[in-house]
Amino acid sequence: MSELYGIELLRHLSLAFGPTGCEGDVADIIEETISGFADEISRDRKGNVTAVLYGKNHGTESERRFMFSAHMDEVGFMITDINGDGTLKFTNLGGIVPSVLPARRVTVKGSCGEYIPAVIGSKPIHLQEGGERSKADGISSLYIDIGAKDKEDAQKYVSRGDFATFSSDFVRFGHEEKQIKCKALDDRFGCAVECDALRTLSREERGGADIIFAFTVSEEIGKSGAKTAAYRVNPQVAVVLEATAVADNMGLPETSRVAEQGKGPAVSFMDKGTVYGRDMYKAVMETADVHGIPAQPKRFVSGGNDAAHIQRIRGGVHVAAVSAPARYIHTAVDTINADDYESTVSLALALARDADLIIGRLSEQ
């Protein structure tokens, strides 16, 4: 049983290796963290971890189910071939801008079972001509260097289909060290929030509804495991805990800013995958207001998340997206604010405690 909470738990989860399709290490940490707290923990064939706190009405005709969902996978890479000189060809897993890749440290999980330190290489600067120096290399022109002397040497450690991620330190910086940077904060942020909320709720008197915590796979490539998890548990209401890009420090006018760090999680009313029910959006914002928890609307229609998949299962699900305002998302230096972490945990707890009220109100619509 893990004794890590809050930002230290977030550190542990973010540093774990878990690109799309290889989330097992993260799932193991989560199961260890919540073991002994949940009434039921399961892992399905797709790799999702689902934990349940039973409500007082569990197993009765009046059973209600309130679900939280956060994805375990991070953006990363898959090895597609091995060059004659021992360098590795690769493709991206998730939306990564090629310009952030050259000279970046990465970790390869080889078929040998080892975690191999490596770097992403590109055409040497002294061989670049014309406008090449000012042009970002596409992924097809980059390679991963694990230090192998040739192809035969590399094949001892790596095979096609192996995975890689950014290699990044977890660093607190800025005013009162409120800023946090690391890889994979999208969405180990949500996973850590769920773990903290579950363990807190497990010690409290239960309401009528089951509270379900899903830790899902494959969100970053759009092949969401959340659809499978939600279909299994069939919730009436689901809240997706995510990270969202904000660009609040780029000198942009307020009308172009998604949200602002330090002012609480961003709550979506619409994104590229979902139009959120107005009553569900109001329920989240009103809950934050009643309990004095900082929260803000996501002011720009962009991105998408697992809510789009959950909303459409069975007879439909009332969904909300509650996201950490994040800078430099999908890079090795995802950056969030520690106050937003605490606010999101508080909001998740408040929503869970009010689950019966929220489900009842929405059922009347």
Side-chain angles (χ1 to χ4, degrees):
M1 186 185 302
S2 171
E3 297 182 357
L4 296 177
Y5 284 82
I7 302 303
E8 286 306 305
L9 173 61
L10 179 61
R11 178 197 302 269
H12 190 41
L13 285 168
S14 298
L15 292 173
F17 187 96
T20 304
C22 193
E23 298 95 341
D25 289 1
V26 182
D28 290 344
I29 292 170
I30 288 169
E31 287 193 350
E32 179 186 4
T33 299
I34 62 177
S35 176
F37 294 94
D39 297 309
E40 175 188 334
I41 301 174
S42 60
R43 195 183 305 195
D44 62 34
R45 288 190 292 272
K46 196 166 175 63
N48 303 303
V49 175
T50 304
V52 185
L53 295 175
Y54 295 150
K56 293 178 181 178
N57 296 328
H58 178 76
T60 70
E61 290 184 359
S62 57
E63 179 178 283
R64 290 173 167 176
R65 293 166 299 282
F66 191 106
M67 175 178 167
F68 291 97
S69 180
H71 67 88
M72 297 183 289
D73 60 315
E74 62 188 286
V75 295
F77 316 99
M78 178 176 283
I79 308 307
T80 57
D81 206 354
I82 302 175
N83 297 319
D85 62 359
T87 58
L88 313 177
K89 299 296 292 181
F90 67 95
T91 190
N92 58 300
L93 295 168
I96 303 174
V97 178
S99 61
V100 306
L101 297 179
R104 181 64 63 182
R105 292 188 299 135
V106 295
T107 299
V108 179
K109 186 175 183 180
S111 51
C112 62
E114 297 181 7
Y115 295 91
I116 305 165
V119 295
I120 294 178
S122 60
K123 187 176 182 180
I125 191 168
H126 68 280
L127 296 179
Q128 294 178 10
E129 299 176 354
E132 286 184 305
R133 294 188 185 186
S134 61
K135 181 182 177 182
D137 291 320
I139 286 179
S140 62
S141 65
L142 303 176
Y143 56 86
I144 293 176
D145 184 351
I146 63 171
K149 62 183 181 180
D150 53 31
K151 183 173 183 177
E152 184 178 4
D153 186 33
Q155 287 174 326
K156 298 175 184 177
Y157 308 98
V158 181
S159 300
R160 293 187 184 94
D162 286 349
F163 296 91
T165 64
F166 289 117
S167 179
S168 175
D169 298 325
F170 187 99
V171 177
R172 300 192 67 163
F173 66 102
H175 178 65
E176 297 182 346
E177 295 191 333
K178 294 289 188 180
Q179 296 299 97
I180 298 169
K181 79 91 181 170
C182 193
K183 72 173 186 70
L185 293 176
D186 173 18
D187 184 33
R188 307 293 160 70
F189 170 91
C191 293
V193 168
E194 286 197 9
C195 289
D196 278 347
L198 185 157
R199 291 182 292 183
T200 297
L201 291 167
S202 72
R203 302 184 181 100
E204 299 179 357
E205 182 178 354
R206 305 291 175 85
D210 289 353
I211 308 298
I212 299 151
F213 297 85
F215 305 85
T216 65
V217 300
S218 300
E219 190 271 351
E220 293 294 3
I221 63 169
K223 308 300 181 183
S224 173
K227 183 176 182 179
T228 302
Y231 191 90
R232 285 181 62 212
V233 302
N234 192 23
Q236 287 89 10
V237 172
V239 175
V240 174
L241 299 170
E242 252 286 14
T244 190
V246 292
D248 64 338
N249 62 334
M250 303 295 292
L252 296 171
E254 286 198 17
T255 53
S256 297
R257 297 186 180 190
V258 176
E260 296 180 56
Q261 291 194 325
K263 295 187 177 181
V267 183
S268 301
F269 50 82
M270 181 179 175
D271 57 39
K272 295 297 186 182
T274 309
V275 175
Y276 296 87
R278 192 66 182 174
D279 292 325
M280 184 63 191
Y281 171 80
K282 287 175 61 179
V284 175
M285 295 299 286
E286 288 174 1
T287 299
D289 184 56
V290 166
H291 295 279
I293 301 166
Q296 57 188 312
K298 181 179 175 181
R299 302 194 300 261
F300 195 80
V301 177
S302 62
N305 55 63
D306 280 336
H309 302 278
I310 296 170
Q311 187 183 50
R312 296 165 173 79
I313 64 107
R314 296 182 182 257
V317 180
H318 297 287
V319 294
V322 176
S323 303
R327 298 173 180 170
Y328 325 123
I329 203 165
H330 287 196
T331 73
V333 292
D334 290 357
T335 300
I336 65 166
N337 184 280
D339 288 344
D340 293 333
Y341 181 87
E342 300 302 332
S343 296
T344 306
V345 173
S346 295
L347 182 53
L349 288 169
L351 290 168
R353 292 164 182 153
D354 291 348
D356 292 312
L357 178 65
I358 293 171
I359 294 173
R361 185 189 305 169
L362 292 170
S363 298
E364 295 171 0
Q365 305 301 321

